[in-house]
Amino acid sequence: MKKRILSGMRPTGKLHLGHLVGALDNWIKLQDEYDCLFMAADWHALMSEYEDTALLSENTLDNVLDWLSAGIDPNKATIFIQSHVPQHAELHMIFSCITPLGILERCPTYKEQMREVKTRDLNTYGFLGYPVLQAADILLYKADKVPVGQDQLPHLELTREIARLFNNLSKKETFPSPDAILTKTPKLLGLDGRKMSKSYMNTINLSDTADLITRKISTMFTDPKRIKLTDAGHPDICNVFSYYSIFVPEVKNDVYNWCSNAKSGCTECKKRLAAHIIEKVAPIQQKRALLLKDKAGLKKILDEGAKKASSIASETMKEARKAINL
Ligand code: TRP
Ligand code: SF4
């Protein structure tokens, strides 16, 4: 029996290169070795962006299309939309009865968002319970492993705590204690050198045209000490160089040489990088164009995914209800 993995993404906008190297590439590798469930967490998107849901279902389908285009294979993994499996909400409700307020209020991701996010009002009952829903997502499938980035580790810790609480209170070992699979990818920074994020408008999206990618890369910050073409550059502090390391490691040494020996200018260096990135996203975009033509095919994948997920989820819910005498 393969071990089970569950992971999810919150569909709040277009997927970008950060999602590709930070999560998707890893999911693609895991789908052979594990029984994988990949979920578009639209209820989580609602918790954080409830004020404007106009694009919610469009973003959700758009993200799933990007997953499939990048290589997530519906014959290997179960792909579904969270809100299509209502058991997530039921387990979330039960967990919310046993989760102490303090551990939610102390959660570092919660505190950070409350401090940092100024454009949306996150002072809601639902947003505080964001990690409780995530615990339900994971435990509903009794996942053994959860591939996540570093920032999500507190949510996994909370998941284990909630499982422990439920098991102790009901004196039954209903839920296992899942482990994180930490994605070891180097952090991909955005065009401006900050974390790549939609809210900083510094992303390169998987769906960007070749022109747009070239234009965006031309605006990237480089080694600030390299002013003239004859100045030697310092690739180690240049974001353009870190893109080479991540996306085209095979030419990394050449770039290091041109740069540190001032053999090539930054404009040229960026043009070449753009060509490599365009080459990397081209097959994803071609596949996407094909998938877009087959709306019924996408619906079928998601219907089958929800059906498979539901059948596991309903078994777990039977056990969970029984454990607490519902
Ligand atoms: N909170 C996760 C994020 O923002 C998304 C998510 C929702 C998730 N449910 C999950 C990740 C379950 C792993 C497992 O990245
Ligand atoms: Fe960065 Fe390339 Fe310019 Fe060197 S040549 S500073 S690696 S953009």
Side-chain angles (χ1 to χ4, degrees):
M1 271 269 279
K2 285 183 181 172
K3 294 217 176 223
R4 182 170 292 153
I5 275 183
L6 177 123
S7 199
M9 274 189 214
R10 194 164 46 106
T12 53
K14 295 216 162 284
L15 291 193
H16 52 64
L17 292 181
H19 294 113
L20 186 67
V21 298
L24 271 180
D25 278 343
N26 198 36
W27 287 9
I28 291 163
K29 281 189 217 128
L30 293 167
Q31 60 184 348
D32 289 310
E33 204 186 321
Y34 292 90
D35 166 19
C36 288
L37 295 130
F38 297 127
M39 172 192 76
D42 56 346
W43 273 329
H44 277 110
L46 185 64
M47 283 174 161
S48 59
E49 322 230 327
Y50 62 91
E51 282 157 332
D52 186 4
T53 58
L55 295 177
L56 181 54
S57 72
E58 192 179 314
N59 284 337
T60 305
L61 292 176
D62 189 84
N63 281 191
V64 173
L65 268 180
D66 278 342
W67 299 355
L68 297 168
S69 312
I72 301 290
D73 181 348
N75 295 313
K76 296 179 183 166
T78 306
I79 302 162
F80 68 101
I81 296 175
Q82 186 184 38
S83 69
H84 291 184
V85 184
Q87 287 90 343
H88 289 252
E90 186 184 359
L91 192 56
H92 167 244
M93 190 272 148
I94 293 175
F95 284 166
S96 66
C97 299
I98 66 169
T99 306
L101 267 183
I103 64 173
L104 297 176
E105 286 163 343
R106 280 194 301 274
C107 184
T109 51
Y110 180 71
K111 289 202 295 196
E112 186 193 310
Q113 300 260 3
M114 292 308 272
R115 207 172 48 234
E116 302 291 328
V117 177
K118 301 275 184 273
T119 52
R120 286 170 279 137
D121 180 9
L122 293 178
N123 226 328
T124 63
Y125 164 62
F127 188 67
L128 180 67
Y130 184 105
V132 182
L133 178 59
Q134 190 162 345
D137 296 339
I138 296 165
L139 296 174
L140 200 45
Y141 304 97
K142 303 189 179 184
D144 300 289
K145 308 236 178 225
V146 186
V148 283
Q150 186 86 27
D151 63 312
Q152 294 288 308
L153 287 181
H155 293 174
L156 217 75
E157 188 50 54
L158 247 147
T159 300
R160 286 192 287 266
E161 179 63 22
I162 291 173
R164 218 166 17 236
L165 272 169
F166 185 97
N167 292 346
N168 282 346
L169 286 168
S170 62
K171 301 190 181 57
K172 274 208 184 75
E173 285 297 306
T174 308
F175 295 111
S177 185
D179 293 314
I181 299 183
L182 257 191
T183 323
K184 277 196 269 342
T185 42
K187 246 230 157 9
L188 181 74
L189 298 176
L191 298 168
D192 57 0
R194 292 187 288 172
K195 181 184 159 174
M196 187 176 277
S197 161
K198 177 190 75 157
S199 43
Y200 295 150
M201 302 207 295
N202 65 0
T203 65
I204 297 176
N205 298 334
L206 295 182
S207 53
D208 283 349
T209 61
D211 256 12
L212 188 55
I213 292 175
T214 309
R215 253 186 293 137
K216 282 182 172 177
I217 289 181
S218 75
T219 68
M220 281 174 78
F221 297 174
T222 60
D223 172 5
K225 295 213 191 79
R226 191 167 189 212
I227 297 157
K228 296 192 297 310
L229 209 66
T230 49
D231 294 338
H234 302 83
D236 295 318
I237 57 160
C238 176
N239 196 21
V240 175
F241 183 70
S242 76
Y243 275 51
Y244 274 104
S245 313
I246 294 170
F247 293 105
V248 251
E250 62 278 16
V251 303
K252 185 177 154 187
N253 290 339
D254 292 342
V255 178
Y256 200 96
N257 269 328
W258 312 329
C259 177
S260 48
N261 298 313
K263 284 192 198 142
S264 165
C266 295
T267 310
E268 180 60 25
C269 184
K270 289 173 172 179
K271 269 199 196 132
R272 294 193 196 180
L273 173 67
H276 286 295
I277 302 282
I278 291 164
E279 202 182 300
K280 170 105 186 160
V281 297
I284 302 180
Q285 296 189 352
Q286 280 155 14
K287 180 126 185 244
R288 194 186 151 89
L290 286 178
L291 289 164
L292 256 179
K293 286 196 203 135
D294 183 16
K295 292 244 163 66
L298 177 64
K299 186 175 179 312
K300 187 159 168 261
I301 290 170
L302 288 170
D303 285 348
E304 277 172 10
K307 214 168 123 199
K308 263 208 229 150
S310 286
S311 79
I312 306 170
S314 65
E315 286 307 310
T316 308
M317 281 319 300
K318 269 187 218 154
E319 265 184 78
R321 284 186 215 114
K322 190 156 173 249
I324 49 168
N325 306 306
L326 286 169

